[in-house]
Amino acid sequence: MDLDAAFGKPAAVAGQRCGLVAIVGRPNVGKSTLLNALVGQKVSITSRKAQTTRHRITGIRTEGDAQFVFVDTPGFQTKHSTALNRNLNRTVQGVLGDVDVVLFVVEAGRFGLDDAKVLALLPEDKPVILIANKLDAVHRRAELMPWLKAMQERRNFAEFVPLSARKDADVKRLLGIVQPYLPEQPWFYEEDALTDRSDRFLASELIREKLFRLTGDELPYSCTVVIDKFQEEGNLRRIAATIIVERDAHKGMVIGDKGEVLKRIGSEARQELERLMDAKVFLELWVKVRSGWADSEEHLRSYGYE
């Protein structure tokens, strides 16, 4: 009897490669943008606000004989010692123990204390590829040489890849560089899979992205989105969500004058959800104040933090 077949384990296919690839770095170096580019579709939200990514997001890309399972992590937090940030840091450290290769993302030509703290966490027994992102912001490429030499003295990186996550050619080149580091084994997912996250989870993330983008720097990062209802009715999705903030003043920022900000958040989130899900979306949004939620382990668990 074939035990692998009996228990649903995929049969080995000659030449197939599959592996877990962690994307790590301090906040705002472009990890989520890179993940979305590698997958070819948005699976992780992006904004200029620190700590946009709060969960372990898995994106999947299958090219030829290789299946890349990318894990986007929260930017490792060195400030604000709240329960939320401790939770985020545990997520980063938990991911690193499971993966086959690590993409360490920094801004090309820059390396600060927060970058160094992330680098110190990276396992010594895993290949680490240095990703110098935002290359398009570097005006003189020759200036990168002394920086690269200094980086090589910090760690023996398996590869050095300068790129812009917004350029398709750079992303395709990165896939080719990572592929040999994937173990030869059967794929974990179907060939057309893009993420292991549910539509319900992606809905909460997209609403949170619009929240951050439309409130700018005025609203502290300690707000979250909870999906209260997610119903599928044929080609219609009925979604009700609550935006959780810590103070009444924050609630006013989210709602805006005559409710204009909340309306824009809802409208932009609905339009993107319809494109993502290829379905009509009816979206209701509410705003509630929960003081101290970001420093409460109980609240974090109830809001879906790992």
Side-chain angles (χ1 to χ4, degrees), residues 33-34 37-38 133-137 141 162-174:
T33 300
L34 180 59
L38 287 164
N133 193 24
K134 305 184 183 180
L135 185 64
D136 45 341
R141 303 293 167 86
L163 58 72
S164 169
R166 301 185 185 281
K167 292 187 176 179
D168 291 342
D170 284 0
V171 172
K172 189 162 282 191
R173 178 167 53 89
L174 177 58

Side-chain angles (χ1 to χ4, degrees), residues 6-115:
F7 287 96
K9 185 177 178 180
V13 177
Q16 277 194 347
R17 289 182 178 270
C18 182
L20 293 171
V21 184
I23 304 174
V24 300
R26 65 169 171 80
N28 288 344
V29 291
K31 298 183 302 298
S32 296
T33 300
L34 180 59
L35 172 68
N36 292 332
L38 287 164
V39 173
Q41 182 172 316
K42 177 179 283 191
V43 294
S44 186
I45 69 173
T46 62
S47 85
R48 292 189 305 273
K49 188 181 290 289
Q51 216 35 269
T52 307
T53 301
R54 291 186 180 162
H55 300 268
R56 183 187 302 198
I57 312 288
T58 302
I60 303 151
R61 174 78 170 258
T62 303
E63 285 282 324
D65 293 332
Q67 186 171 83
F68 305 81
V69 182
F70 295 103
V71 187
D72 185 24
T73 61
F76 194 84
Q77 287 296 289
T78 57
K79 304 170 186 174
H80 313 300
S81 181
T82 63
L84 174 60
N85 282 326
R86 290 193 295 273
N87 176 282
L88 301 178
N89 289 348
R90 283 197 301 270
T91 297
V92 178
Q93 291 168 320
V95 165
L96 293 175
D98 299 332
V99 300
D100 299 295
V101 59
V102 177
L103 305 184
F104 176 47
V105 186
V106 298
E107 288 187 42
R110 295 183 57 186
F111 189 86
L113 180 60
D114 288 352
D115 297 298

Side-chain angles (χ1 to χ4, degrees), residues 45 49 51-55 84 197-215 219-230 239-246 254 262 265-266 269-270 273 283-290 293-294 299-305:
I45 69 173
K49 188 181 290 289
Q51 216 35 269
T52 307
T53 301
R54 291 186 180 162
H55 300 268
L84 174 60
R197 289 295 192 173
S198 66
D199 284 352
R200 184 187 184 104
F201 173 81
L202 293 174
S204 70
E205 289 290 278
L206 278 174
I207 295 166
R208 194 160 61 87
E209 176 185 57
K210 304 310 175 189
L211 169 67
F212 283 167
R213 285 183 178 272
L214 293 172
T215 56
L219 186 70
Y221 78 101
S222 52
C223 52
T224 197
V225 175
V226 177
I227 301 296
D228 305 306
K229 179 178 74 174
F230 190 103
I239 305 171
T242 302
I243 297 171
I244 306 292
V245 297
E246 286 207 309
V254 174
L262 189 61
I265 293 169
R270 178 186 57 76
L273 284 167
L283 177 62
E284 290 182 288
L285 291 181
W286 310 91
V287 186
K288 291 183 181 178
V289 178
R290 292 288 182 270
W293 77 266
H299 276 111
L300 289 173
R301 284 193 297 274
S302 70
Y303 295 159
Y305 290 92

Side-chain angles (χ1 to χ4, degrees), residues 113-175:
L113 180 60
D114 288 352
D115 297 298
K117 289 180 177 179
V118 178
L119 180 58
L121 290 172
L122 303 185
E124 293 294 333
D125 60 342
K126 309 272 172 138
V128 176
I129 297 175
L130 176 64
I131 306 296
N133 193 24
K134 305 184 183 180
L135 185 64
D136 45 341
V138 178
H139 301 299
R140 294 183 177 178
R141 303 293 167 86
E143 295 174 358
L144 281 181
M145 294 311 295
W147 174 81
L148 173 58
K149 185 179 179 184
M151 292 300 297
Q152 289 172 330
E153 290 172 356
R154 294 180 181 275
R155 179 177 176 128
N156 183 23
F157 292 102
E159 307 273 358
F160 164 60
V161 185
L163 58 72
S164 169
R166 301 185 185 281
K167 292 187 176 179
D168 291 342
D170 284 0
V171 172
K172 189 162 282 191
R173 178 167 53 89
L174 177 58
L175 288 170

